[in-house]
């Protein structure tokens, strides 16, 4: 199913060559990953890189939880939570509540998987390669694991039910799972789309559409009283961090392919 021509088309994003690394650390890492890819195959290396990245992301979630505890105790950023929620309550109306509830459900436990699977099928058919599958599945699984870890570590209570729009949610509040998953999944979809878009104006509109979707999902969670503002801010930060690791893993994969590594392990190299 894998095609070298398809992978070669993914090596540039506009005028940017994703297989060229500007920093000394980046070049050294790329050389090391290329050598490993030539020996063990680029795809196994991509999977290993994503696994390591996920471990880093989970640690980052733990650190974010510790920072959040400190911020909450100091009444720093968290002091905005109540005023922002009160302002959101003032904007509500029956029509707005129904519309925002419908929109936030698009990024929910049913809507977001449907979006992801739809793009997954489309990418797989169009590109005839497993790479989009690996990236989207890893990105989605990672964001779900980070959401679960963050909620278990903090156990923060959601806003009072009297301030929320039904249907009510009862899981821990930090971080916002809708926001985190939307950031990662839509961010990965945008990245994969950008790799095959040749016109700058198309890339700009793709980024704008993805950004507005992610921002609106986060805003909807506060509007409905299902999360505090800081839950959403943390979800955006964690989601972008994990997304950057997914993109970096893909860049290392493309670099290894460009310098002679095959997608699968090279039996001849392993017997030398």
């Amino acid at each position: 199913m894998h095609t070298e021509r398809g992978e070669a088309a993914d090596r540039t994003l506009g005028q940017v060559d994703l297989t060229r690394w500007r920093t000394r650390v980046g070049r050294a890492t790329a050389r090391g990953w290329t050598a490993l890819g030539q020996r063990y195959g680029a795809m196994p290396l991509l999977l290993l890189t994503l696994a390591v990245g996920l471990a880093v992301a989970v640690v980052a979630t733990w650190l974010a939880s510790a920072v959040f505890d400190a911020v909450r105790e100091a009444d720093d950023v968290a002091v905005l939570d109540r005023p922002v929620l009160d302002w959101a309550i003032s904007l509500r109306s029956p029509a707005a509540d129904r519309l925002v509830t419908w929109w936030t459900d698009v990024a929910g436990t049913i809507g977001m998987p449907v979006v992801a699977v739809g793009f997954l099928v489309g990418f797989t058919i169009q590109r005839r390669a497993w790479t989009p599958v690996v990236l989207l599945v890893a990105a989605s699984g990672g964001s779900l694991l980070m959401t679960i870890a963050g909620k278990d570590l903090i156990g923060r209570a959601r806003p009072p039910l009297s301030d929320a729009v039904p249907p009510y949610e009862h899981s821990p509040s930090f971080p916002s799972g809708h926001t985190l998953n939307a950031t990662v999944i839509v961010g990965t979809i945008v990245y994969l789309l950008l790799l095959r878009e040749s016109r700058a104006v198309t890339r700009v509109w793709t980024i704008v559409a993805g950004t507005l979707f992610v921002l609106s999902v986060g805003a909807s969670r506060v509007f409905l009283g299902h999360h505090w503002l800081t839950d959403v801010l943390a979800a955006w930060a964690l989601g972008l961090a994990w997304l950057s690791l997914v993109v970096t893993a893909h860049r290392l994969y493309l670099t290894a392919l460009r310098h002679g590594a095959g997608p699968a392990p090279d039996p001849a190299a392993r017997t030398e």
Side-chain angles (χ1 to χ4, degrees):
M1 189 174 183
H2 173 89
T3 60
E4 286 292 335
R5 181 177 300 177
E7 296 293 356
D10 289 340
R11 292 174 190 167
T12 59
L13 201 164
Q15 300 300 316
V16 178
D17 186 345
L18 297 178
T19 65
R20 296 190 181 277
W21 301 78
R22 296 180 181 274
T23 66
R24 182 178 299 177
V25 173
R27 289 191 294 270
T29 303
R31 284 194 298 270
W33 252 241
T34 296
L36 290 173
Q38 290 170 342
R39 181 170 181 82
Y40 298 106
M43 183 57 73
L45 193 63
L46 173 61
L47 296 173
L48 175 61
T49 308
L50 289 169
V52 172
L54 180 56
V56 172
V58 171
V59 172
T61 304
W62 174 77
L63 292 174
S65 302
V67 171
F68 172 77
D69 269 339
V71 167
R72 183 171 55 178
E73 290 176 2
D75 274 340
D76 200 349
V77 178
V79 76
L80 297 174
D81 282 340
R82 186 71 245 181
V84 170
L85 179 57
D86 289 339
W87 177 69
I89 292 172
S90 72
L91 300 176
R92 291 177 186 167
S93 68
D97 293 353
R98 287 194 296 271
L99 177 62
V100 177
T101 297
W102 170 82
W103 183 248
T104 202
D105 286 344
V106 173
T109 55
I110 296 177
M112 208 70 254
V114 170
V115 171
V117 169
F119 276 96
L120 194 63
V121 172
F123 285 138
T124 304
I125 294 174
Q126 178 198 30
R127 304 189 184 193
R128 299 176 60 82
W130 290 114
T131 309
V133 177
V134 172
L135 292 179
L136 263 175
V137 170
S140 304
S143 66
L144 179 60
L145 183 57
M146 291 169 68
T147 300
I148 294 172
K151 290 181 181 297
D152 287 346
L153 287 167
I154 290 294
R156 186 189 193 189
R158 291 179 184 264
L161 294 183
S162 58
D163 292 331
V165 175
Y168 302 120
E169 299 182 23
H170 302 283
S171 62
S173 189
F174 181 96
S176 167
H178 283 65
T179 306
L180 178 55
N181 293 324
T183 301
V184 173
I185 295 173
V186 173
T188 304
I189 291 171
V190 166
Y191 170 68
L192 291 170
L193 288 173
L194 292 176
L195 293 176
R196 294 297 176 92
E197 292 174 345
S198 58
R199 300 178 59 200
V201 65
T202 306
R203 293 195 298 272
V204 169
W205 279 113
T206 299
I207 294 171
V208 169
T211 301
L212 289 178
F213 179 83
V214 170
L215 292 177
S216 64
V217 168
S220 74
R221 307 306 290 159
V222 178
F223 178 88
L224 296 172
H226 294 170
H227 283 283
W228 301 103
L229 173 64
T230 43
D231 301 330
V232 171
L233 293 176
W236 279 330
L238 290 171
L240 288 173
W242 173 229
L243 178 61
S244 68
L245 289 172
V246 171
V247 172
T248 299
H250 185 233
R251 288 187 62 194
L252 289 169
Y253 168 76
L254 293 174
T255 303
L257 284 180
R258 180 185 179 186
H259 292 287
D266 183 355
R270 300 192 65 176
T271 57
E272 291 178 355

